[in-house]
Amino acid sequence: MILSHLSKASSNCRRLAGVQRFALSENFHNSPTSHPFFLNSIHVGKPTLPAAVFHQRRPFHESQTSIPPQKSPPITELSLYQPPTTGLISYLPRSWIPYAELIRLDKPAGTYYLFFPCLFSTLLAASYTHAPLLAVVETSALFLTGALIMRGAGCTINDLWDRNLDPHVSRTKLRPIARRAVTPFQALTFTGFQLLAGLGLLVQFPTSCLYYGIPSLLLVATYPLAKRITYYPQFVLGLAFSWGAFMGFPALGVDLLSDPTALKAVAALYASCVSWTVLYDMIYAHMDIKDDAKAGIKSIALRHEKETKTVLSGLAVAQTGFLAAAGLALGAGPVFFVGSCGSAAATLGLMIWKVRLKEVSNCWWWFKYGAWFTGGGISAGLFTEYLARANQRRDEVTVPPSAWREFVLLKGHSIKA
């Protein structure tokens, strides 16, 4: 009998040891008492096992020989990025997509904002110089192409400067340089090609446009630095984005330095465009106001957060007033003041009234479509003024004195000097 009990106890111990080896090999984290095989093994026969044996049946994760759990790898910005599936960029080769995103090809609002001052200046100059419609269209098309190229170069330069700041802002952390899809050296090389393309386009204009256009590069390069030293970087951006106001007149053959009337008009137009740029970019800055404060990025939205709409209203008055001054300098008619100045006042007033500065999506909507509301209205008024002046010139048949003298002499009439 004694030998039988000892044999059964020995058999149970062997079975228990086998269960523990199984648990270790399979990372068995639950208590052995919950395993059906173990339950069957310890209930064979009456004798109970020593308490020391049961003390060994600790969960695996409490054992001194347990392996610490591995930490899951951090979620990188690249893993959060999803290539575009809609829009123009989605049709490009995958290797081109980071560069298309770098120049904001999928967000053309900035290109339009850069183009409109050029268009305003061109239409004002066309009315002043009686330029033919074809010349106006060709000049405007060149300016639109230049705006696309130079806006892309400006965005690339901006992202190079901000490559250590963008990862800390939710809206910009997935930009190509910030997520390391494009290296700084690649971005710098890409910028060089963009500037060469811009220079190639600039030489299509009269030579004087070179002297007016090249200085704007200094403003493009210094704008990103302004965000680090002043709460008014939008003013520097306005100086850069409004530079096209100087370009329309020389593009149509007007030398600003020798024409005081044109120079006064251009100066007023430039001030109007700067005011407009500060206005719409202040709304744009409200999208990042929380992240900018954490990252130490300065903006006019942070400086005047509590009185934003008051500042916006003052900028709207300045924009409309300077625009009217540009028209007065050139003797514009009522079509300009009603169409251009009136639409500017109406659209800016509506935007300031309706925009919800605490909502990122609403700020983006007004920034995106405000270019067409205000810029399109001003352009329509200027183009209508151009057409009105052209019709007026056709109605007023004027003959130069020398041509009239030749006509009279050919008819055989004598004229008195």
Side-chain angles (χ1 to χ4, degrees), residues 127-138:
S127 296
Y128 182 63
T129 60
H130 316 311
L133 180 60
L134 182 59
V136 176
V137 173
E138 290 177 348

Side-chain angles (χ1 to χ4, degrees), residues 67-357:
I67 301 174
Q70 297 290 330
K71 291 184 179 180
S72 58
I75 299 177
T76 62
E77 303 303 345
L78 186 59
S79 64
L80 294 174
Y81 171 77
Q82 296 295 331
T85 57
T86 59
L88 176 62
I89 293 183
S90 63
Y91 296 99
L92 298 176
R94 184 171 291 270
S95 60
W96 294 14
I97 290 178
Y99 294 95
E101 292 174 330
L102 195 60
I103 64 174
R104 317 289 196 269
L105 194 61
D106 55 335
K107 298 175 181 178
T111 300
Y112 303 144
Y113 278 119
L114 186 60
F115 167 65
F116 274 123
C118 303
L119 183 60
F120 299 162
S121 181
T122 301
L123 293 174
L124 268 180
S127 296
Y128 182 63
T129 60
H130 316 311
L133 180 60
L134 182 59
V136 176
V137 173
E138 290 177 348
T139 301
S140 300
L142 286 174
F143 277 134
L144 179 59
T145 306
L148 176 63
I149 295 172
M150 295 310 298
R151 189 256 180 155
C155 289
T156 308
I157 294 172
N158 179 78
D159 287 4
L160 278 168
W161 279 111
D162 291 349
R163 64 186 181 275
N164 296 323
L165 295 176
D166 283 344
H168 302 287
V169 179
S170 59
R171 186 179 57 84
T172 62
K173 64 183 180 181
L174 293 179
R175 285 179 175 173
I177 299 178
R179 70 172 191 266
R180 299 182 181 180
V182 176
T183 66
F185 178 77
Q186 290 171 331
L188 192 61
T189 304
F190 185 50
T191 302
F193 283 112
Q194 292 178 90
L195 294 178
L196 285 175
L199 179 61
L201 187 70
L202 189 59
V203 297
Q204 306 304 314
F205 291 97
T207 306
S208 59
C209 288
L210 282 171
Y211 308 123
Y212 291 104
I214 291 177
S216 66
L217 294 177
L218 296 175
L219 295 171
V220 173
T222 55
Y223 161 68
L225 294 177
K227 293 183 288 186
R228 294 161 171 79
I229 61 176
T230 177
Y231 280 101
Y232 300 97
Q234 283 73 25
F235 179 72
V236 181
L237 181 70
L239 295 177
F241 260 60
S242 304
W243 198 264
F246 289 107
M247 301 300 294
F249 281 80
L252 291 179
V254 178
D255 184 6
L256 294 176
L257 298 179
S258 61
D259 193 329
T261 301
L263 184 59
K264 290 177 184 178
V266 166
L269 180 64
Y270 183 61
S272 174
C273 292
V274 170
S275 302
W276 184 35
T277 304
V278 177
L279 190 156
Y280 66 66
D281 202 60
M282 187 176 187
I283 294 175
Y284 185 83
H286 269 272
M287 295 193 296
D288 302 328
I289 194 167
K290 293 181 180 179
D291 290 332
D292 285 350
K294 295 177 182 177
I297 302 173
K298 296 179 172 63
S299 75
I300 191 174
L302 277 171
R303 181 65 179 83
H304 298 284
E305 182 179 2
K306 295 182 179 179
E307 60 269 13
T308 294
K309 292 208 172 184
T310 302
V311 176
L312 292 176
S313 300
L315 291 168
V317 171
Q319 194 265 1
T320 308
F322 283 122
L323 182 62
L328 286 173
L330 296 180
V335 174
F336 166 79
F337 293 103
V338 174
S340 294
C341 299
S343 66
T347 55
L348 292 176
L350 179 66
M351 179 169 64
I352 295 169
W353 176 39
K354 288 288 189 179
V355 65
R356 296 188 292 273
L357 298 171

